[in-house]
Amino acid sequence: NLVGGGYDSIRKIDSRYEIGPGLGYHIFNTNGMVLNGEFGANYQVRNFSNQAPDEKFFFRFAEDFTWKISDKLSFDEKAEVFARMETWGEYRLRYESNLRYLLLKNLTLNLTLVDLYDTSPAKDVSKNDLQIRSSVGITF
């Protein structure tokens, strides 16, 4: 299942929530590499700050990949495509990748790339949102 919620003041979304079932499959798991695939459905509601809310159903296609490059360095990524059930020309894409370097037993230095694309964003908001982040992660 996929369950999510939140808000995004930059993309003018006051609140949003989504839920949907899915089926996944482990494509391979060898030599420190894992690849998974998923297919499902998704129901989403977005309440915008500058226009009427929308409520949509999507097909969801996703994959995630993890690679333990060395004892201290790892890479993971996830790509999701949300194709609208009623209108195939309307879709959302989400891609995220992380490069993590282990500093201490439970402390990592992270570099993250996130790309969000939406064919029907809020009024006066770009369809594409590219983000690059650096962070320190704590595992407990």
Side-chain angles (χ1 to χ4, degrees):
N1 272 341
L2 170 72
V3 176
Y7 71 96
D8 188 332
S9 59
I10 293 171
R11 300 191 60 77
K12 299 183 181 177
I13 300 171
D14 286 345
S15 65
R16 72 165 183 82
Y17 62 90
E18 60 187 321
I19 189 166
L23 294 172
Y25 184 74
H26 297 293
I27 298 168
F28 67 78
N29 183 356
T30 59
N31 300 327
M33 291 186 207
V34 177
L35 178 64
N36 300 309
E38 180 192 351
F39 171 77
N42 186 261
Y43 169 73
Q44 180 189 73
V45 174
R46 296 184 297 181
N47 297 301
F48 298 103
S49 60
N50 64 348
Q51 69 188 50
D54 71 6
E55 176 181 359
K56 298 177 181 173
F57 290 92
F58 294 89
F59 289 112
R60 182 177 71 249
F61 306 93
E63 63 79 29
D64 63 82
F65 174 75
T66 303
W67 178 22
K68 186 172 180 181
I69 300 167
S70 69
D71 288 341
K72 291 192 169 218
L73 188 63
S74 66
F75 171 79
D76 62 80
E77 63 84 27
K78 182 173 187 172
E80 297 174 294
V81 177
F82 296 86
R84 185 147 181 231
M85 290 182 180
E86 300 88 359
T87 311
W88 280 92
E90 191 174 329
Y91 57 91
R92 293 183 300 122
L93 305 172
R94 176 179 167 80
Y95 176 79
E96 180 175 340
S97 62
N98 298 286
L99 189 60
R100 293 185 172 90
Y101 183 77
L102 185 64
L103 297 171
L104 298 171
K105 182 179 178 182
N106 61 345
L107 191 68
T108 58
L109 180 61
N110 309 313
L111 180 62
T112 302
L113 173 87
V114 177
D115 193 9
L116 306 170
Y117 185 85
D118 188 345
T119 58
S120 60
K123 183 180 172 190
D124 300 325
V125 172
S126 171
K127 290 182 178 185
N128 197 61
D129 182 11
L130 180 64
Q131 305 167 20
I132 299 173
R133 305 177 193 153
S134 61
S135 61
V136 174
I138 300 172
T139 305
F140 51 97

